[in-house]
Amino acid sequence: MSQKPEDFFKNIISHSKEYGYIFQSSEIYDGLSAVYDYGQNGAELKKNIREYWWRAMVQMHENIVGIDAAIFMHPTTWKASGHVDAFNDPLIDNKDSKKRYRADVLIEEHVAKIEDKIEKEVEKAKKRFENFDEAMFRSTNARVVEYQNKINDINNRFKNAMNDGNLAEVKQIIVDCEIVDPVSGSRNWTDVRQFNLMFSTAMGSVDGEGSTIYLRPETAQGIFVNYLNVQKTGRMKIPFGIAQTGKAFRNEIVARQFIFRMREFEQMEMQFFCKPGTEKEWYEYWKDARLKWHHSLGLGKENYKFHDHVKLAFYANAASDIEFQFPFGFKELEGIHSRTDYDLKQHEQFSGKKLQYFDPEEGASYVPYVVETSVGLDRLFLSILSAAFKEEKLQDGETRVVLSLPPALAPIKAAVFPLVKKDGLPELAEKIINQLKFDHIVTYDEKDAVGRRYRRQDAIGTPYCITVDHQSLEDGTVTVRHRDTMQQDRIKIEALNDFLNERVSMKSLLKQL
RNA sequence: GCGGAAGUAGCUCAAUUGGUAGAGCUCCAGCCUUCCAAGCUGGAGGUUGCGGGUUCGAGACCCGUCUUCCGCUCCA
């Protein structure tokens, strides 16, 4: 990576488009911001990544099962999870400083300032009088009462404005309070706008009250609401896990950096239910297991690191991210969170259903604690693509662009070429295709010089190219050319399936875990 | 969302001060047959992102809009 990181990233983006990995959504209509489509090769790579994750989690763990919960969920789900209230912020910009603020925070800070003034009055009075009756002072002192009235007035107005969804009134409060931007010191504000994290739509053919449905902003809640169904029907014993992959939707304020932050994205999550008090052990176990999984891809251990959260979300008692060195720096790839019993307790409360587990060893019931692993499939895709993308300078001065994808994840496992388009070589190549296609996705190419065809496959990331030449007709062998080394082996045609199976299967990856 | 920059063929880019939209590569058909891309012949492909405006005339100037990039801002 001798060039500037931005250029490197740009090259990856244009390479992705040129070779059928990623297209911008609705491109012929000028595109849709922060939404991307996966092309013929991207869909394969993505599917393979998903499959490797699924096998590592579900197939390799007897106590983990997978589900596929719907994207639509009962609206109360999102009240219980906290998404409805916690991600509904009124935002305002200062036109001079270009800074954005949460309008409610600005007003709260203003109120806090007035409260400080009251406290100062109280402190002063305390020093002045011997037998100081603080409660009396607060309720009678003219200045304090005036301040307090102001606070009550502001709070009432704000409460009403938010309840009515009256954003103009929220702005008016900021104007009336003469709140200034702490950076620019100006009162030059934009209108207040509502920020909603969740996309909403209407269920049923008739619009109206109560029919608002959200597109899920995370897959986790589909697991939590099904936890008891799975536990009972699968006769699962704690500790056990439920895995799920699927689309999630978030209205990000700023969605950028290609597929790193999209409005529609795919998560791969596993919620691990364990006995209260054991959650830290499992948290450490999963941190370790997940890092190992990433390392097994062979993209360089130095590209991964943990970032432990210091400031924890209200529901968590431990949290860490696995970060990857993207072309634009170390960024979050996967989160491992110890979520306590927060989610299940919330759903108990909102649904009125008991979500407890009877532990025969304890002889008692409890709400399990949860350790979550949550990885972004699209981010994982980008991490693999950016680590695999290489612009090589060869010894003879030529350059080549190669995607050194892990063979098990590569969209196309092998390409078959006739060295020349005559003498029966194409026919033999077709026969080989027909022999291999039952095991793997393979492709055929007879156009242009063979070296050129090798380069084309390098750019797609195909790990093996099989070339049929005149010797093949005589002794039934072909050359197999390796993508990364460009070395060739001569192999019997009958041995090709075994050769490929051994090298492109996920088994070798799974064995490293 | 704010500020800055950009948008011309699938890709990379041209097009004097406003005066007929071009090239290379790619792609397709054919020729050639050579194990590490760019031989030969022919061909396809553009309402210059979109919509208005100024002008005799706009790829170029003005306004709006969409998208992308960079920097802010936000992110359980």
Side-chain angles (χ1 to χ4, degrees):
Chain A
M1 210 203 290
S2 56
Q3 54 200 318
K4 284 191 299 186
E6 303 115 70
D7 290 342
F8 182 72
F9 190 39
K10 272 185 186 164
N11 290 346
I12 290 173
I13 294 170
S14 56
H15 190 88
S16 298
K17 183 188 171 188
E18 192 173 353
Y19 290 94
Y21 276 89
I22 296 167
F23 308 125
Q24 190 176 16
S25 163
S26 323
E27 197 185 15
I28 61 166
Y29 292 108
D30 288 331
L32 187 61
S33 184
V35 184
Y36 291 89
D37 297 338
Y38 287 83
Q40 65 277 23
N41 290 319
E44 284 297 330
L45 174 57
K46 192 179 176 191
K47 187 206 75 188
N48 291 339
I49 298 168
R50 190 193 294 113
E51 184 182 338
Y52 178 45
W53 180 88
W54 188 268
R55 288 203 194 186
M57 300 305 266
V58 176
Q59 186 176 335
M60 301 299 286
H61 291 91
E62 279 185 51
N63 61 342
I64 297 180
V65 292
I67 64 168
D68 184 11
I71 289 171
F72 293 152
M73 298 186 72
H74 192 284
T76 309
T77 308
W78 307 111
K79 281 204 192 305
S81 71
H83 285 83
V84 171
D85 295 324
F87 297 98
N88 239 331
D89 304 328
L91 299 176
I92 190 166
D93 292 331
N94 183 272
K95 290 178 187 169
D96 298 314
S97 67
K98 313 291 180 205
K99 298 279 180 195
R100 162 165 298 172
Y101 300 92
R102 278 176 53 176
D104 55 328
V105 171
L106 283 179
I107 292 170
E108 275 165 24
E109 281 171 356
H110 182 69
V111 167
K113 269 188 196 163
I114 303 176
E115 279 167 351
D116 278 349
K117 286 181 181 171
I118 293 179
E119 293 312 313
K120 272 182 193 159
E121 292 291 337
V122 173
E123 285 304 312
K124 274 200 302 195
K126 252 186 198 167
K127 283 177 191 160
R128 219 178 309 147
F129 302 109
E130 283 282 313
N131 296 325
F132 179 62
D133 184 340
E134 189 175 320
M136 176 70 101
F137 179 79
R138 280 178 190 270
S139 60
T140 55
N141 178 278
R143 216 170 290 170
V144 171
V145 169
E146 192 191 317
Y147 284 142
Q148 193 56 53
N149 285 342
K150 225 185 216 172
I151 290 173
N152 294 343
D153 181 47
I154 294 170
N155 283 342
N156 277 333
R157 278 181 70 186
F158 181 63
K159 214 174 89 187
N160 289 334
M162 287 307 283
N163 284 341
D164 300 344
N166 186 348
L167 297 177
E169 167 70 359
V170 174
K171 182 181 181 184
Q172 197 54 48
I173 296 170
I174 289 172
V175 171
D176 292 346
C177 292
E178 303 184 339
I179 293 174
V180 298
D181 175 5
V183 174
S184 67
S186 94
R187 293 181 206 155
N188 193 6
W189 298 107
T190 63
D191 285 341
V192 176
R193 282 175 302 258
Q194 188 76 22
F195 167 65
N196 293 311
L197 173 96
M198 290 191 288
F199 288 89
S200 58
T201 185
M203 182 99 152
S205 51
V206 182
D207 277 1
E209 279 296 310
S211 64
T212 297
I213 290 278
Y214 297 104
L215 303 187
R216 67 182 174 205
E218 62 176 22
T219 54
Q221 300 304 326
I223 295 178
F224 294 136
V225 301
N226 278 302
Y227 131 82
L228 210 54
N229 284 337
V230 173
Q231 190 272 317
K232 285 191 168 156
T233 58
R235 294 162 43 241
M236 309 301 288
K237 305 272 186 294
I238 272 184
F240 72 95
I242 302 177
Q244 153 123 43
T245 71
K247 289 284 180 80
F249 306 83
R250 295 181 195 181
N251 232 333
E252 303 284 352
I253 297 177
V254 172
R256 246 192 303 200
Q257 278 167 324
F258 198 37
I259 57 170
F260 183 79
R261 179 166 289 135
M262 293 191 290
R263 299 214 157 93
E264 173 180 343
F265 60 103
E266 188 160 346
Q267 291 184 308
M268 304 195 291
E269 295 196 309
M270 191 278 298
Q271 308 292 336
F272 195 75
F273 301 89
C274 62
K275 193 161 133 185
T278 65
E279 74 273 12
K280 294 277 191 205
E281 278 166 52
W282 288 112
Y283 171 70
E284 292 302 329
Y285 172 86
W286 283 112
K287 269 179 77 173
D288 191 56
R290 292 304 304 150
L291 187 63
K292 229 185 221 169
W293 186 90
H294 289 288
H295 284 173
S296 73
L297 295 173
L299 304 176
K301 291 186 179 180
E302 69 283 359
N303 286 323
Y304 300 87
K305 69 178 185 191
F306 280 115
H307 173 249
D308 293 322
H309 290 203
V310 183
K311 223 182 95 190
L312 294 171
F314 53 94
Y315 57 73
N317 69 6
S320 186
D321 295 336
I322 295 174
E323 294 189 336
F324 179 82
Q325 187 159 30
F326 286 97
F328 40 85
F330 269 102
K331 297 278 177 182
E332 178 186 351
L333 186 60
E334 171 154 7
I336 295 111
H337 295 196
S338 177
R339 293 180 78 127
T340 71
D341 55 1
Y342 176 80
D343 299 279
L344 290 180
K345 280 240 171 95
Q346 285 290 106
H347 285 302
E348 273 200 329
Q349 192 191 320
F350 278 77
S351 68
K353 305 283 193 307
K354 268 201 167 179
L355 297 179
Q356 300 193 347
Y357 171 82
F358 179 76
D359 190 330
E361 281 178 29
E362 296 285 308
S365 295
Y366 53 77
V367 175
Y369 269 45
V370 172
V371 175
E372 163 189 279
T373 73
S374 172
V375 62
L377 176 50
D378 310 277
R379 288 183 179 188
L380 198 47
F381 185 107
L382 182 58
S383 76
I384 291 168
L385 201 62
S386 52
F389 181 79
K390 287 174 194 149
E391 291 169 306
E392 288 182 348
K393 193 128 201 148
L394 302 179
Q395 288 178 334
D396 57 6
E398 293 288 329
T399 59
R400 72 162 185 158
V401 175
V402 56
L403 281 185
S404 291
L405 298 169
L409 303 183
I412 297 171
K413 304 305 185 193
V416 183
F417 308 145
L419 183 60
V420 293
K421 200 170 42 173
K422 61 175 188 183
D423 304 336
L425 301 187
E427 289 77 5
L428 181 53
E430 286 288 2
K431 258 173 96 175
I432 294 172
I433 289 276
N434 286 326
Q435 172 190 324
L436 293 175
K437 73 181 180 191
F438 293 96
D439 289 337
H440 303 289
I441 293 185
V442 289
T443 188
Y444 174 81
D445 192 1
E446 60 177 24
K447 176 85 177 146
D448 300 314
V450 73
R452 192 186 186 82
R453 287 177 262 164
Y454 286 145
R455 296 299 175 85
R456 274 206 285 264
Q457 295 304 322
D458 288 342
I460 296 168
T462 306
Y464 299 103
C465 291
I466 297 160
T467 303
V468 175
D469 56 17
H470 292 92
Q471 189 185 331
S472 309
L473 298 174
E474 289 160 21
D475 63 5
T477 62
V478 289
T479 60
V480 174
R481 181 259 196 189
H482 299 251
R483 175 194 65 198
D484 298 334
T485 60
M486 298 193 284
Q487 304 272 307
Q488 294 185 356
D489 297 331
R490 196 159 260 283
I491 288 179
K492 282 221 163 286
I493 292 172
E494 308 93 79
L496 280 173
N497 293 63
D498 285 345
F499 176 91
L500 277 181
N501 290 345
E502 194 180 311
R503 285 166 180 77
V504 307
S505 82
M506 284 185 188
K507 199 166 168 180
S508 58
L509 290 182
L510 291 167
K511 280 194 166 166
Q512 294 175 44
L513 301 176

